[in-house]
Amino acid sequence: MQKMLTLQVYPGKGLGFLTLGSSLHDVLTRLKSQPQTYPNIDISYSPRRPLEAPVVLTLPMNGFRLRFDGPEQRLRLIEIVDFRKTSLTYKNVDFVKLSDGQPVVADPSRSQASGPGFRHVYNMMGPTFPGEYVPPGTRSASDIGLYILSYPGIAFTFPLQNSAWSPNKDHVSLLSSSAAQVVKSFAIFDGPSWQATRQSLFERDGPGIQSPTSPYRSKDYRADEVKVVRILGNGKLEVIRRSSPPFHIKLSETTAQDLVTELGPPDAIYRKNDRRLSIHRSGRPSSKQRQNLSSSPDEDLTDTDKSSMSTTTDESDIGDDSPGTLGEKRDDGFVECFYNYFYHGLDIFMSYPTTSSPPFPTSAIAKAEHQRIHGPDYLVATKVLLHGNVPGSYPFNRYRRVRWEIDSGDPEPEQRNLDSESSFTALSESLQRIWEGQCGSESEELSLRKGMVLNRGWGDSPGSSCELLGGWEESADTQRKENNAMEGPGSGNTELFGFPGLIFEVLRNKAVSCLTVY
């Protein structure tokens, strides 16, 4: 018989290794790496509003639930709903005494509600202010309401007979009487009390980020997390981090050494290029500025951007940060490759210098050619892929979600909110308005509105798991869940839409799954 899982409770901070503020990608990766301990993981999200509504991980075999906010995908709430599945302790005191893996319950009639009684909670936590009583619903046939008793960072829910409730009675008398049952559930959150926190729990800035070490690197190294990437146009990106100063990526200038200095060594390096979309190309970019400002998704970047979905394959070297992979010249010259930063939510394509994309017409940045500080035999960053980690999408949980903003320099207020949480419908309308009149012909303007369909599930597709994912999490169970998810509005076929310097991969629900900046 497998030993029961034991976790320490930290009010306002977390449960065991589950720390408030951790990313959905980190938590889910950690849970899936221990299938014997966490055999079942149910993921719930809103198919139509996956970046607005919370994402919920339910672990029925372990008795707890994890709630993440939609925009940042940070752990905001931990709920314990079954005390029989996991042994819980607070300062080395058990919440429920267990005997041979089963809870000891004084009253057999309460075996289904096997949480601690009020007196035990009082002895562990000490006194606190009165809580909040929630009466049964008008349509409920039950006479049982809920009394929520809060401490800083933790709140307990006690079922209480509605007939026994009186605002004139103190909570100690109420909860220690026979009208109150044992704890039904409790929640861990960041805040002074549940009453003061619940309304803004998923809206305000989260707690201090305490994300665990990247699972792809050795434990003695952890680069500062990327908070948001600002796209400035003209091949320039500003990377804003949690605690370190921001830095800039300048396409066709930033070197591998620059990236390793700021972001750390890549989690993997992917050297294989998928060229099946190259039939749509009109030719490789040259040092001469293109006259065509419109950029449909069938340009040069489509031959490689989807190959970033790979992970551990023969061509992808996890943690290989030797000098040879970061810029050593081989006999056949440098090999174009992707730097995969799963922990940051980024892919960066290392290739030979190209002409930069034009600045936004509304930006104050003057158009200027990049100063070539590297010869043609040295690789530099030429494309950056920003992954949305949208629930229900084909590459879900292969990357941490990274947020981005497009700074077009437009003074109009309605043009300022161009970010990773925006619907592509709104993004497209704003970008079309920004680039209106800048294209050379009507057909070029029409190309900004047309998308190229990409199927993630077919074997012959550039996004197929066989070609690009290389066996990453390709178990039978994973395939079954992915195939079922394809029927939802957020999965299945995606579309690629292009604007100058930008390529959007868009799901059916109009959420942006990936943004390529070139």
Side-chain angles (χ1 to χ4, degrees), residues 342-377:
F342 306 119
Y343 176 68
H344 292 304
L346 305 172
D347 283 322
I348 301 176
F349 185 55
M350 306 302 295
S351 184
Y352 303 101
T354 63
T355 303
S356 63
S357 59
F360 296 108
T362 51
S363 173
I365 299 177
K367 174 58 184 172
E369 291 290 334
H370 284 308
Q371 180 183 1
R372 293 300 177 80
I373 57 176
H374 307 288
D377 292 336

PDB file of all heavy atoms in Angstrom, residues 342-377:
ATOM      1  N   PHE A 342      11.636  27.477 -22.277  1.00  0.00           N
ATOM      2  CA  PHE A 342      10.324  27.045 -21.799  1.00  0.00           C
ATOM      3  C   PHE A 342       9.926  27.806 -20.539  1.00  0.00           C
ATOM      4  O   PHE A 342       8.770  28.163 -20.349  1.00  0.00           O
ATOM      5  CB  PHE A 342      10.342  25.537 -21.518  1.00  0.00           C
ATOM      6  CG  PHE A 342      10.815  24.707 -22.672  1.00  0.00           C
ATOM      7  CD1 PHE A 342      11.949  23.917 -22.563  1.00  0.00           C
ATOM      8  CD2 PHE A 342      10.139  24.715 -23.872  1.00  0.00           C
ATOM      9  CE1 PHE A 342      12.397  23.157 -23.619  1.00  0.00           C
ATOM     10  CE2 PHE A 342      10.574  23.950 -24.944  1.00  0.00           C
ATOM     11  CZ  PHE A 342      11.705  23.173 -24.820  1.00  0.00           C
ATOM     12  N   TYR A 343      10.890  28.036 -19.668  1.00  0.00           N
ATOM     13  CA  TYR A 343      10.637  28.690 -18.377  1.00  0.00           C
ATOM     14  C   TYR A 343      10.218  30.151 -18.574  1.00  0.00           C
ATOM     15  O   TYR A 343       9.439  30.693 -17.798  1.00  0.00           O
ATOM     16  CB  TYR A 343      11.901  28.590 -17.519  1.00  0.00           C
ATOM     17  CG  TYR A 343      11.847  29.296 -16.200  1.00  0.00           C
ATOM     18  CD1 TYR A 343      11.008  28.862 -15.188  1.00  0.00           C
ATOM     19  CD2 TYR A 343      12.669  30.400 -15.954  1.00  0.00           C
ATOM     20  CE1 TYR A 343      10.971  29.512 -13.968  1.00  0.00           C
ATOM     21  CE2 TYR A 343      12.650  31.041 -14.736  1.00  0.00           C
ATOM     22  CZ  TYR A 343      11.798  30.597 -13.746  1.00  0.00           C
ATOM     23  OH  TYR A 343      11.774  31.240 -12.548  1.00  0.00           O
ATOM     24  N   HIS A 344      10.742  30.800 -19.608  1.00  0.00           N
ATOM     25  CA  HIS A 344      10.390  32.193 -19.881  1.00  0.00           C
ATOM     26  C   HIS A 344       9.209  32.332 -20.829  1.00  0.00           C
ATOM     27  O   HIS A 344       8.653  33.427 -20.977  1.00  0.00           O
ATOM     28  CB  HIS A 344      11.589  32.928 -20.480  1.00  0.00           C
ATOM     29  CG  HIS A 344      12.726  33.128 -19.530  1.00  0.00           C
ATOM     30  ND1 HIS A 344      12.583  33.758 -18.311  1.00  0.00           N
ATOM     31  CD2 HIS A 344      14.043  32.778 -19.609  1.00  0.00           C
ATOM     32  CE1 HIS A 344      13.754  33.796 -17.695  1.00  0.00           C
ATOM     33  NE2 HIS A 344      14.651  33.198 -18.451  1.00  0.00           N
ATOM     34  N   GLY A 345       8.837  31.258 -21.543  1.00  0.00           N
ATOM     35  CA  GLY A 345       7.757  31.342 -22.515  1.00  0.00           C
ATOM     36  C   GLY A 345       8.207  31.889 -23.855  1.00  0.00           C
ATOM     37  O   GLY A 345       7.385  32.432 -24.609  1.00  0.00           O
ATOM     38  N   LEU A 346       9.498  31.738 -24.172  1.00  0.00           N
ATOM     39  CA  LEU A 346      10.056  32.336 -25.381  1.00  0.00           C
ATOM     40  C   LEU A 346      10.760  31.295 -26.237  1.00  0.00           C
ATOM     41  O   LEU A 346      11.291  30.305 -25.728  1.00  0.00           O
ATOM     42  CB  LEU A 346      11.097  33.413 -25.033  1.00  0.00           C
ATOM     43  CG  LEU A 346      10.709  34.558 -24.101  1.00  0.00           C
ATOM     44  CD1 LEU A 346      11.951  35.359 -23.760  1.00  0.00           C
ATOM     45  CD2 LEU A 346       9.680  35.452 -24.765  1.00  0.00           C
ATOM     46  N   ASP A 347      10.762  31.541 -27.545  1.00  0.00           N
ATOM     47  CA  ASP A 347      11.681  30.909 -28.479  1.00  0.00           C
ATOM     48  C   ASP A 347      12.372  32.028 -29.236  1.00  0.00           C
ATOM     49  O   ASP A 347      11.730  33.013 -29.617  1.00  0.00           O
ATOM     50  CB  ASP A 347      10.948  30.012 -29.484  1.00  0.00           C
ATOM     51  CG  ASP A 347      10.523  28.694 -28.872  1.00  0.00           C
ATOM     52  OD1 ASP A 347      11.291  28.148 -28.068  1.00  0.00           O
ATOM     53  OD2 ASP A 347       9.424  28.221 -29.198  1.00  0.00           O
ATOM     54  N   ILE A 348      13.655  31.886 -29.475  1.00  0.00           N
ATOM     55  CA  ILE A 348      14.407  32.903 -30.213  1.00  0.00           C
ATOM     56  C   ILE A 348      15.150  32.203 -31.340  1.00  0.00           C
ATOM     57  O   ILE A 348      15.921  31.259 -31.095  1.00  0.00           O
ATOM     58  CB  ILE A 348      15.385  33.659 -29.292  1.00  0.00           C
ATOM     59  CG1 ILE A 348      14.603  34.331 -28.147  1.00  0.00           C
ATOM     60  CG2 ILE A 348      16.173  34.683 -30.089  1.00  0.00           C
ATOM     61  CD1 ILE A 348      15.467  35.025 -27.126  1.00  0.00           C
ATOM     62  N   PHE A 349      14.897  32.638 -32.567  1.00  0.00           N
ATOM     63  CA  PHE A 349      15.521  32.024 -33.732  1.00  0.00           C
ATOM     64  C   PHE A 349      16.847  32.706 -34.007  1.00  0.00           C
ATOM     65  O   PHE A 349      16.924  33.925 -34.201  1.00  0.00           O
ATOM     66  CB  PHE A 349      14.600  32.144 -34.942  1.00  0.00           C
ATOM     67  CG  PHE A 349      15.112  31.436 -36.162  1.00  0.00           C
ATOM     68  CD1 PHE A 349      15.432  30.088 -36.119  1.00  0.00           C
ATOM     69  CD2 PHE A 349      15.276  32.110 -37.358  1.00  0.00           C
ATOM     70  CE1 PHE A 349      15.909  29.421 -37.234  1.00  0.00           C
ATOM     71  CE2 PHE A 349      15.744  31.466 -38.489  1.00  0.00           C
ATOM     72  CZ  PHE A 349      16.061  30.106 -38.426  1.00  0.00           C
ATOM     73  N   MET A 350      17.900  31.913 -34.019  1.00  0.00           N
ATOM     74  CA  MET A 350      19.246  32.409 -34.276  1.00  0.00           C
ATOM     75  C   MET A 350      19.588  32.134 -35.733  1.00  0.00           C
ATOM     76  O   MET A 350      19.620  30.980 -36.167  1.00  0.00           O
ATOM     77  CB  MET A 350      20.255  31.733 -33.351  1.00  0.00           C
ATOM     78  CG  MET A 350      19.910  31.830 -31.862  1.00  0.00           C
ATOM     79  SD  MET A 350      19.756  33.539 -31.288  1.00  0.00           S
ATOM     80  CE  MET A 350      21.439  34.116 -31.522  1.00  0.00           C
ATOM     81  N   SER A 351      19.829  33.186 -36.471  1.00  0.00           N
ATOM     82  CA  SER A 351      20.084  33.056 -37.897  1.00  0.00           C
ATOM     83  C   SER A 351      21.032  34.174 -38.331  1.00  0.00           C
ATOM     84  O   SER A 351      21.607  34.876 -37.497  1.00  0.00           O
ATOM     85  CB  SER A 351      18.771  33.094 -38.674  1.00  0.00           C
ATOM     86  OG  SER A 351      18.978  32.888 -40.057  1.00  0.00           O
ATOM     87  N   TYR A 352      21.169  34.359 -39.642  1.00  0.00           N
ATOM     88  CA  TYR A 352      22.045  35.389 -40.164  1.00  0.00           C
ATOM     89  C   TYR A 352      21.311  36.725 -40.217  1.00  0.00           C
ATOM     90  O   TYR A 352      20.090  36.773 -40.379  1.00  0.00           O
ATOM     91  CB  TYR A 352      22.555  34.980 -41.545  1.00  0.00           C
ATOM     92  CG  TYR A 352      23.273  33.656 -41.504  1.00  0.00           C
ATOM     93  CD1 TYR A 352      22.647  32.486 -41.925  1.00  0.00           C
ATOM     94  CD2 TYR A 352      24.563  33.566 -41.006  1.00  0.00           C
ATOM     95  CE1 TYR A 352      23.293  31.268 -41.856  1.00  0.00           C
ATOM     96  CE2 TYR A 352      25.224  32.351 -40.941  1.00  0.00           C
ATOM     97  CZ  TYR A 352      24.578  31.199 -41.370  1.00  0.00           C
ATOM     98  OH  TYR A 352      25.227  29.998 -41.288  1.00  0.00           O
ATOM     99  N   PRO A 353      21.998  37.838 -40.080  1.00  0.00           N
ATOM    100  CA  PRO A 353      21.347  39.154 -40.041  1.00  0.00           C
ATOM    101  C   PRO A 353      20.486  39.407 -41.281  1.00  0.00           C
ATOM    102  O   PRO A 353      20.846  39.032 -42.399  1.00  0.00           O
ATOM    103  CB  PRO A 353      22.522  40.129 -39.977  1.00  0.00           C
ATOM    104  CG  PRO A 353      23.652  39.334 -39.393  1.00  0.00           C
ATOM    105  CD  PRO A 353      23.471  37.940 -39.899  1.00  0.00           C
ATOM    106  N   THR A 354      19.329  40.006 -41.066  1.00  0.00           N
ATOM    107  CA  THR A 354      18.412  40.360 -42.142  1.00  0.00           C
ATOM    108  C   THR A 354      17.993  41.814 -41.973  1.00  0.00           C
ATOM    109  O   THR A 354      18.319  42.459 -40.972  1.00  0.00           O
ATOM    110  CB  THR A 354      17.159  39.475 -42.134  1.00  0.00           C
ATOM    111  OG1 THR A 354      16.447  39.688 -40.908  1.00  0.00           O
ATOM    112  CG2 THR A 354      17.524  38.004 -42.250  1.00  0.00           C
ATOM    113  N   THR A 355      17.240  42.299 -42.917  1.00  0.00           N
ATOM    114  CA  THR A 355      16.711  43.659 -42.826  1.00  0.00           C
ATOM    115  C   THR A 355      15.607  43.709 -41.788  1.00  0.00           C
ATOM    116  O   THR A 355      14.750  42.828 -41.732  1.00  0.00           O
ATOM    117  CB  THR A 355      16.155  44.101 -44.191  1.00  0.00           C
ATOM    118  OG1 THR A 355      17.203  44.003 -45.159  1.00  0.00           O
ATOM    119  CG2 THR A 355      15.652  45.526 -44.131  1.00  0.00           C
ATOM    120  N   SER A 356      15.592  44.732 -40.976  1.00  0.00           N
ATOM    121  CA  SER A 356      14.587  44.840 -39.917  1.00  0.00           C
ATOM    122  C   SER A 356      13.228  45.183 -40.497  1.00  0.00           C
ATOM    123  O   SER A 356      13.116  45.748 -41.591  1.00  0.00           O
ATOM    124  CB  SER A 356      14.999  45.915 -38.915  1.00  0.00           C
ATOM    125  OG  SER A 356      15.052  47.176 -39.558  1.00  0.00           O
ATOM    126  N   SER A 357      12.187  44.851 -39.752  1.00  0.00           N
ATOM    127  CA  SER A 357      10.841  45.228 -40.157  1.00  0.00           C
ATOM    128  C   SER A 357      10.663  46.735 -39.962  1.00  0.00           C
ATOM    129  O   SER A 357      11.373  47.358 -39.167  1.00  0.00           O
ATOM    130  CB  SER A 357       9.814  44.466 -39.318  1.00  0.00           C
ATOM    131  OG  SER A 357       9.998  44.744 -37.943  1.00  0.00           O
ATOM    132  N   PRO A 358       9.707  47.346 -40.660  1.00  0.00           N
ATOM    133  CA  PRO A 358       9.527  48.795 -40.533  1.00  0.00           C
ATOM    134  C   PRO A 358       8.938  49.175 -39.182  1.00  0.00           C
ATOM    135  O   PRO A 358       8.290  48.358 -38.524  1.00  0.00           O
ATOM    136  CB  PRO A 358       8.561  49.120 -41.675  1.00  0.00           C
ATOM    137  CG  PRO A 358       7.808  47.857 -41.897  1.00  0.00           C
ATOM    138  CD  PRO A 358       8.783  46.745 -41.644  1.00  0.00           C
ATOM    139  N   PRO A 359       9.141  50.403 -38.734  1.00  0.00           N
ATOM    140  CA  PRO A 359       8.522  50.861 -37.474  1.00  0.00           C
ATOM    141  C   PRO A 359       7.032  51.088 -37.680  1.00  0.00           C
ATOM    142  O   PRO A 359       6.548  51.169 -38.812  1.00  0.00           O
ATOM    143  CB  PRO A 359       9.262  52.166 -37.184  1.00  0.00           C
ATOM    144  CG  PRO A 359       9.652  52.680 -38.531  1.00  0.00           C
ATOM    145  CD  PRO A 359       9.962  51.466 -39.356  1.00  0.00           C
ATOM    146  N   PHE A 360       6.306  51.182 -36.579  1.00  0.00           N
ATOM    147  CA  PHE A 360       4.888  51.514 -36.685  1.00  0.00           C
ATOM    148  C   PHE A 360       4.744  52.936 -37.225  1.00  0.00           C
ATOM    149  O   PHE A 360       5.489  53.838 -36.809  1.00  0.00           O
ATOM    150  CB  PHE A 360       4.207  51.411 -35.320  1.00  0.00           C
ATOM    151  CG  PHE A 360       4.191  50.026 -34.754  1.00  0.00           C
ATOM    152  CD1 PHE A 360       4.998  49.671 -33.681  1.00  0.00           C
ATOM    153  CD2 PHE A 360       3.359  49.057 -35.301  1.00  0.00           C
ATOM    154  CE1 PHE A 360       4.990  48.392 -33.164  1.00  0.00           C
ATOM    155  CE2 PHE A 360       3.338  47.768 -34.790  1.00  0.00           C
ATOM    156  CZ  PHE A 360       4.154  47.433 -33.725  1.00  0.00           C
ATOM    157  N   PRO A 361       3.794  53.162 -38.141  1.00  0.00           N
ATOM    158  CA  PRO A 361       3.624  54.517 -38.684  1.00  0.00           C
ATOM    159  C   PRO A 361       3.309  55.555 -37.617  1.00  0.00           C
ATOM    160  O   PRO A 361       3.587  56.745 -37.795  1.00  0.00           O
ATOM    161  CB  PRO A 361       2.456  54.354 -39.668  1.00  0.00           C
ATOM    162  CG  PRO A 361       2.444  52.913 -40.014  1.00  0.00           C
ATOM    163  CD  PRO A 361       2.905  52.187 -38.790  1.00  0.00           C
ATOM    164  N   THR A 362       2.706  55.112 -36.499  1.00  0.00           N
ATOM    165  CA  THR A 362       2.346  56.037 -35.419  1.00  0.00           C
ATOM    166  C   THR A 362       3.464  56.212 -34.398  1.00  0.00           C
ATOM    167  O   THR A 362       3.307  56.937 -33.420  1.00  0.00           O
ATOM    168  CB  THR A 362       1.090  55.517 -34.701  1.00  0.00           C
ATOM    169  OG1 THR A 362       1.291  54.141 -34.348  1.00  0.00           O
ATOM    170  CG2 THR A 362      -0.131  55.616 -35.603  1.00  0.00           C
ATOM    171  N   SER A 363       4.586  55.517 -34.606  1.00  0.00           N
ATOM    172  CA  SER A 363       5.693  55.585 -33.650  1.00  0.00           C
ATOM    173  C   SER A 363       6.628  56.718 -34.001  1.00  0.00           C
ATOM    174  O   SER A 363       6.777  57.116 -35.151  1.00  0.00           O
ATOM    175  CB  SER A 363       6.448  54.252 -33.629  1.00  0.00           C
ATOM    176  OG  SER A 363       7.595  54.343 -32.835  1.00  0.00           O
ATOM    177  N   ALA A 364       7.310  57.226 -32.974  1.00  0.00           N
ATOM    178  CA  ALA A 364       8.273  58.309 -33.178  1.00  0.00           C
ATOM    179  C   ALA A 364       9.633  57.774 -33.589  1.00  0.00           C
ATOM    180  O   ALA A 364      10.549  58.538 -33.866  1.00  0.00           O
ATOM    181  CB  ALA A 364       8.418  59.131 -31.902  1.00  0.00           C
ATOM    182  N   ILE A 365       9.763  56.431 -33.623  1.00  0.00           N
ATOM    183  CA  ILE A 365      11.051  55.845 -33.997  1.00  0.00           C
ATOM    184  C   ILE A 365      11.314  56.108 -35.475  1.00  0.00           C
ATOM    185  O   ILE A 365      10.495  55.805 -36.326  1.00  0.00           O
ATOM    186  CB  ILE A 365      11.049  54.329 -33.733  1.00  0.00           C
ATOM    187  CG1 ILE A 365      10.833  54.048 -32.239  1.00  0.00           C
ATOM    188  CG2 ILE A 365      12.348  53.699 -34.207  1.00  0.00           C
ATOM    189  CD1 ILE A 365      10.746  52.585 -31.908  1.00  0.00           C
ATOM    190  N   ALA A 366      12.424  56.697 -35.760  1.00  0.00           N
ATOM    191  CA  ALA A 366      12.787  56.952 -37.148  1.00  0.00           C
ATOM    192  C   ALA A 366      13.308  55.680 -37.780  1.00  0.00           C
ATOM    193  O   ALA A 366      13.987  54.884 -37.137  1.00  0.00           O
ATOM    194  CB  ALA A 366      13.850  58.047 -37.226  1.00  0.00           C
ATOM    195  N   LYS A 367      12.956  55.509 -39.052  1.00  0.00           N
ATOM    196  CA  LYS A 367      13.412  54.320 -39.759  1.00  0.00           C
ATOM    197  C   LYS A 367      14.913  54.418 -40.019  1.00  0.00           C
ATOM    198  O   LYS A 367      15.406  55.399 -40.550  1.00  0.00           O
ATOM    199  CB  LYS A 367      12.655  54.191 -41.081  1.00  0.00           C
ATOM    200  CG  LYS A 367      13.164  53.066 -41.968  1.00  0.00           C
ATOM    201  CD  LYS A 367      13.093  51.731 -41.261  1.00  0.00           C
ATOM    202  CE  LYS A 367      13.699  50.636 -42.116  1.00  0.00           C
ATOM    203  NZ  LYS A 367      13.816  49.394 -41.381  1.00  0.00           N
ATOM    204  N   ALA A 368      15.615  53.396 -39.614  1.00  0.00           N
ATOM    205  CA  ALA A 368      17.051  53.362 -39.842  1.00  0.00           C
ATOM    206  C   ALA A 368      17.483  51.920 -39.985  1.00  0.00           C
ATOM    207  O   ALA A 368      16.986  51.043 -39.282  1.00  0.00           O
ATOM    208  CB  ALA A 368      17.798  54.023 -38.687  1.00  0.00           C
ATOM    209  N   GLU A 369      18.380  51.672 -40.870  1.00  0.00           N
ATOM    210  CA  GLU A 369      18.898  50.324 -41.035  1.00  0.00           C
ATOM    211  C   GLU A 369      19.710  49.940 -39.797  1.00  0.00           C
ATOM    212  O   GLU A 369      20.362  50.772 -39.182  1.00  0.00           O
ATOM    213  CB  GLU A 369      19.798  50.260 -42.275  1.00  0.00           C
ATOM    214  CG  GLU A 369      19.055  50.410 -43.583  1.00  0.00           C
ATOM    215  CD  GLU A 369      18.185  49.206 -43.888  1.00  0.00           C
ATOM    216  OE1 GLU A 369      18.510  48.109 -43.405  1.00  0.00           O
ATOM    217  OE2 GLU A 369      17.186  49.371 -44.589  1.00  0.00           O
ATOM    218  N   HIS A 370      19.632  48.666 -39.442  1.00  0.00           N
ATOM    219  CA  HIS A 370      20.456  48.196 -38.342  1.00  0.00           C
ATOM    220  C   HIS A 370      21.932  48.364 -38.694  1.00  0.00           C
ATOM    221  O   HIS A 370      22.352  48.129 -39.821  1.00  0.00           O
ATOM    222  CB  HIS A 370      20.193  46.704 -38.084  1.00  0.00           C
ATOM    223  CG  HIS A 370      18.909  46.467 -37.365  1.00  0.00           C
ATOM    224  ND1 HIS A 370      18.584  47.101 -36.203  1.00  0.00           N
ATOM    225  CD2 HIS A 370      17.875  45.641 -37.654  1.00  0.00           C
ATOM    226  CE1 HIS A 370      17.406  46.680 -35.788  1.00  0.00           C
ATOM    227  NE2 HIS A 370      16.953  45.792 -36.664  1.00  0.00           N
ATOM    228  N   GLN A 371      22.689  48.795 -37.718  1.00  0.00           N
ATOM    229  CA  GLN A 371      24.130  48.846 -37.917  1.00  0.00           C
ATOM    230  C   GLN A 371      24.683  47.433 -37.816  1.00  0.00           C
ATOM    231  O   GLN A 371      24.553  46.773 -36.800  1.00  0.00           O
ATOM    232  CB  GLN A 371      24.793  49.721 -36.852  1.00  0.00           C
ATOM    233  CG  GLN A 371      26.300  49.822 -37.002  1.00  0.00           C
ATOM    234  CD  GLN A 371      26.920  50.632 -35.889  1.00  0.00           C
ATOM    235  OE1 GLN A 371      26.209  51.096 -35.002  1.00  0.00           O
ATOM    236  NE2 GLN A 371      28.224  50.786 -35.930  1.00  0.00           N
ATOM    237  N   ARG A 372      25.272  46.950 -38.890  1.00  0.00           N
ATOM    238  CA  ARG A 372      25.765  45.584 -38.915  1.00  0.00           C
ATOM    239  C   ARG A 372      27.086  45.505 -38.149  1.00  0.00           C
ATOM    240  O   ARG A 372      28.103  45.991 -38.619  1.00  0.00           O
ATOM    241  CB  ARG A 372      25.955  45.119 -40.363  1.00  0.00           C
ATOM    242  CG  ARG A 372      24.649  44.998 -41.127  1.00  0.00           C
ATOM    243  CD  ARG A 372      23.720  43.975 -40.456  1.00  0.00           C
ATOM    244  NE  ARG A 372      22.448  43.900 -41.147  1.00  0.00           N
ATOM    245  CZ  ARG A 372      22.245  43.209 -42.262  1.00  0.00           C
ATOM    246  NH1 ARG A 372      23.246  42.554 -42.807  1.00  0.00           N
ATOM    247  NH2 ARG A 372      21.055  43.178 -42.814  1.00  0.00           N
ATOM    248  N   ILE A 373      27.010  44.930 -36.977  1.00  0.00           N
ATOM    249  CA  ILE A 373      28.236  44.804 -36.185  1.00  0.00           C
ATOM    250  C   ILE A 373      28.780  43.380 -36.261  1.00  0.00           C
ATOM    251  O   ILE A 373      29.763  43.061 -35.630  1.00  0.00           O
ATOM    252  CB  ILE A 373      27.972  45.174 -34.720  1.00  0.00           C
ATOM    253  CG1 ILE A 373      26.858  44.307 -34.122  1.00  0.00           C
ATOM    254  CG2 ILE A 373      27.597  46.635 -34.613  1.00  0.00           C
ATOM    255  CD1 ILE A 373      26.618  44.566 -32.652  1.00  0.00           C
ATOM    256  N   HIS A 374      28.068  42.525 -37.017  1.00  0.00           N
ATOM    257  CA  HIS A 374      28.499  41.143 -37.133  1.00  0.00           C
ATOM    258  C   HIS A 374      28.613  40.792 -38.604  1.00  0.00           C
ATOM    259  O   HIS A 374      27.849  41.262 -39.437  1.00  0.00           O
ATOM    260  CB  HIS A 374      27.505  40.197 -36.454  1.00  0.00           C
ATOM    261  CG  HIS A 374      27.206  40.579 -35.046  1.00  0.00           C
ATOM    262  ND1 HIS A 374      28.112  40.433 -34.025  1.00  0.00           N
ATOM    263  CD2 HIS A 374      26.107  41.142 -34.491  1.00  0.00           C
ATOM    264  CE1 HIS A 374      27.581  40.878 -32.896  1.00  0.00           C
ATOM    265  NE2 HIS A 374      26.372  41.313 -33.161  1.00  0.00           N
ATOM    266  N   GLY A 375      29.550  39.958 -38.897  1.00  0.00           N
ATOM    267  CA  GLY A 375      29.701  39.503 -40.259  1.00  0.00           C
ATOM    268  C   GLY A 375      28.628  38.502 -40.611  1.00  0.00           C
ATOM    269  O   GLY A 375      27.881  38.025 -39.757  1.00  0.00           O
ATOM    270  N   PRO A 376      28.531  38.116 -41.868  1.00  0.00           N
ATOM    271  CA  PRO A 376      27.486  37.193 -42.305  1.00  0.00           C
ATOM    272  C   PRO A 376      27.656  35.782 -41.775  1.00  0.00           C
ATOM    273  O   PRO A 376      26.761  34.964 -41.892  1.00  0.00           O
ATOM    274  CB  PRO A 376      27.608  37.234 -43.835  1.00  0.00           C
ATOM    275  CG  PRO A 376      29.033  37.647 -44.096  1.00  0.00           C
ATOM    276  CD  PRO A 376      29.382  38.586 -42.985  1.00  0.00           C
ATOM    277  N   ASP A 377      28.808  35.456 -41.175  1.00  0.00           N
ATOM    278  CA  ASP A 377      29.053  34.110 -40.675  1.00  0.00           C
ATOM    279  C   ASP A 377      28.709  33.949 -39.198  1.00  0.00           C
ATOM    280  O   ASP A 377      29.010  32.913 -38.609  1.00  0.00           O
ATOM    281  CB  ASP A 377      30.521  33.721 -40.895  1.00  0.00           C
ATOM    282  CG  ASP A 377      30.843  33.551 -42.362  1.00  0.00           C
ATOM    283  OD1 ASP A 377      29.905  33.274 -43.133  1.00  0.00           O
ATOM    284  OD2 ASP A 377      32.014  33.725 -42.736  1.00  0.00           O
TER     285      ASP A 377
END
